[in-house]
Amino acid sequence: MNLAGVFPALTTPFSADGSVSIADIKHNITKYNTTGLAGYVAIGSTGESVLLSRKEVDTVFIAVKESAAPGMRLIAGTGAESTGETIERTKRAAELGYHFALVKTPYYYKPLYKPEVFIAHFRRVADASPIPVILYSVPQFTGVALEAPEVGVLAQHPNIIGIKESSGNVQRAAEMLAAVPSSFQILVGSASMMFPSMVLGAAGAILALASPLPELCVALVNAVRTGDLETARALQAIILPASKVIVSQCGIPGVKYAMDQTGYRGGLPRQPLLPLSEDQKQAIRELLAKLGAREPARLSGAVSV
C-alpha cells in the first residue's frame, strides 16, 4: 500500500505507422528500472490515454508489466466517463497484474457533477475494484476538481488509499492533508510544487517531468525524506524552469521531445496533438544543456542529461 517515491507518468511511444511501439516502451522501462523510481503509471494523461483505443491500452499495460523490474509498483490509469466502464477497465488492469488503479474524475457533464456525484462514483468503483484505488484530480485537463471535503469522505473507504493531486495548488493539497487520516497518501502531480508538497506531508509524486528527467525528480524526493531540505530547495530551483518549459509550455509533445534528448524514446504525439515548433525544440535543447552544466553531483546524485 506504500506509494512513497517518484512514479513517472509514462508516455506512449508510437511507431512510424502510428501504432503503439512495444519495442520503445520496453526500451524506456529497461532504462527507468535503473534510476531509483518507485514504479510506473501507465495510461495516464501524459500517456495520451484519451487518444488510445481499448486494444492499445491493453498493449501498453502488458508491455509495461513485462518490462518492469521486480518490486516496481504498477499503477494503471483506468478512469472513464461512466462508472461501469471505469470498473471494467480497473478489473482488466488487475487481471494484468497492476497493483493500483488511478481513477480520474468524470468531467463531460460538468454542471451535474456535484460533490455527491463524485463520492457515489468513486465509492462504486472502489467497492468493485480488486485493487486499491487512487483518486485523480487534474482540473487543468478536466475542468473539474476534487476538493478537500469530498476527498476527506472518500478517504474513509478502505479501498481508496490516496490521491494524485495535479492542480498545482499547494493550499488545496494542504487542506486535503488536514482532512484525511494519516494512512491516506497524497501524491503531488506537479513538479513545480514538489518541494512544498513533500514538506507538507505528501507521500510522493507522479510526474510527467520524471519521464525525461527521472533521477532529478528522485533526488528531490529523497532529499526531503532524509531531511536534507537545503538540497531539496536547490533541486526545486533547478526543476522549476524545466517543468515550466518542458511540461507547462510544451505539454506532451515537449515531454516526448525532451525524452528523445535524454536517451529515452519519446517520438511524436498522436494527432490532434502537433509536434513542437523549431523554436520550442530549441528552447528545450538550451534548457537541457544549461541543466547539465549547472547540476552538480552533490545536489542530484550525479544526474546527467
Side-chain angles (χ1 to χ4, degrees):
M1 297 295 183
N2 184 5
L3 296 173
V6 175
F7 299 79
L10 296 175
T11 57
T12 301
F14 300 108
S15 301
D17 64 1
S19 62
V20 172
S21 174
I22 296 173
D24 288 346
I25 292 172
K26 293 188 173 184
H27 168 87
N28 291 341
I29 298 297
T30 299
K31 285 179 64 66
Y32 288 142
N33 284 337
T34 67
T35 60
L37 291 165
Y40 306 117
V41 176
I43 311 297
S45 300
T46 306
E48 298 173 76
S49 58
V50 296
L51 305 181
L52 302 177
S53 69
R54 283 290 299 276
K55 183 177 180 180
E56 288 175 324
V57 167
D58 261 23
T59 297
V60 173
F61 281 158
I62 292 168
V64 172
K65 177 66 170 65
E66 289 179 347
S67 307
M72 287 293 189
R73 287 160 280 168
L74 302 181
I75 303 173
T78 62
E81 280 300 296
S82 79
T83 304
E85 177 71 8
T86 300
I87 290 170
E88 286 188 17
R89 294 185 182 199
T90 301
K91 288 181 175 179
R92 177 58 177 161
E95 289 175 1
L96 293 174
Y98 279 72
H99 305 115
F100 308 95
L102 181 67
V103 181
K104 68 187 176 190
T105 52
Y107 60 89
Y108 189 80
Y109 297 110
K110 291 179 182 64
L112 299 178
Y113 287 163
K114 309 302 182 186
E116 60 269 22
V117 175
F118 287 134
I119 289 170
H121 169 74
F122 283 111
R123 279 176 169 169
R124 287 195 62 190
V125 172
D127 286 344
S129 174
I131 52 179
V133 169
I134 303 167
L135 310 174
Y136 183 18
S137 182
V138 57
Q140 61 268 42
F141 293 150
T142 63
V144 297
L146 290 173
E147 301 291 354
E150 53 260 36
V151 173
V153 171
L154 289 168
Q156 304 304 316
H157 194 291
N159 205 31
I160 299 177
I161 64 165
I163 183 171
K164 179 187 178 186
E165 209 300 293
S166 293
S167 70
N169 185 324
V170 174
Q171 180 175 335
R172 180 179 277 135
E175 290 172 350
M176 288 181 185
L177 283 161
V180 300
S182 59
S183 59
F184 188 84
Q185 299 169 82
I186 307 284
L187 296 169
V188 60
S190 172
S192 63
M193 297 296 174
M194 287 175 69
F195 176 69
S197 298
M198 293 294 298
V199 170
L200 283 169
I206 298 174
L207 302 170
L209 191 68
S211 286
L213 297 170
E215 294 96 340
L216 186 60
C217 298
V218 169
L220 189 153
V221 170
N222 287 344
V224 174
R225 290 168 68 179
T226 59
D228 188 356
L229 299 187
E230 180 181 357
T231 294
R233 278 193 294 267
L235 286 166
Q236 183 70 85
I238 294 171
I239 284 171
L240 274 170
S243 179
K244 180 179 179 180
V245 173
I246 295 170
V247 181
S248 299
Q249 295 179 354
C250 296
I252 292 167
V255 172
K256 285 188 158 185
Y257 184 75
M259 290 173 65
D260 289 334
Q261 309 308 303
T262 54
Y264 299 96
R265 295 176 184 171
L268 296 176
R270 174 166 281 181
Q271 291 182 335
L273 297 176
L274 296 176
L276 298 185
S277 68
E278 288 304 315
D279 286 345
Q280 289 173 314
K281 291 178 180 179
Q282 180 63 24
I284 289 176
R285 289 196 298 269
E286 290 176 357
L287 180 141
L288 292 174
K290 184 178 180 181
L291 187 66
R294 68 179 287 190
E295 193 180 327
R298 68 178 180 84
L299 291 182
S300 60
V303 178
S304 61
V305 293

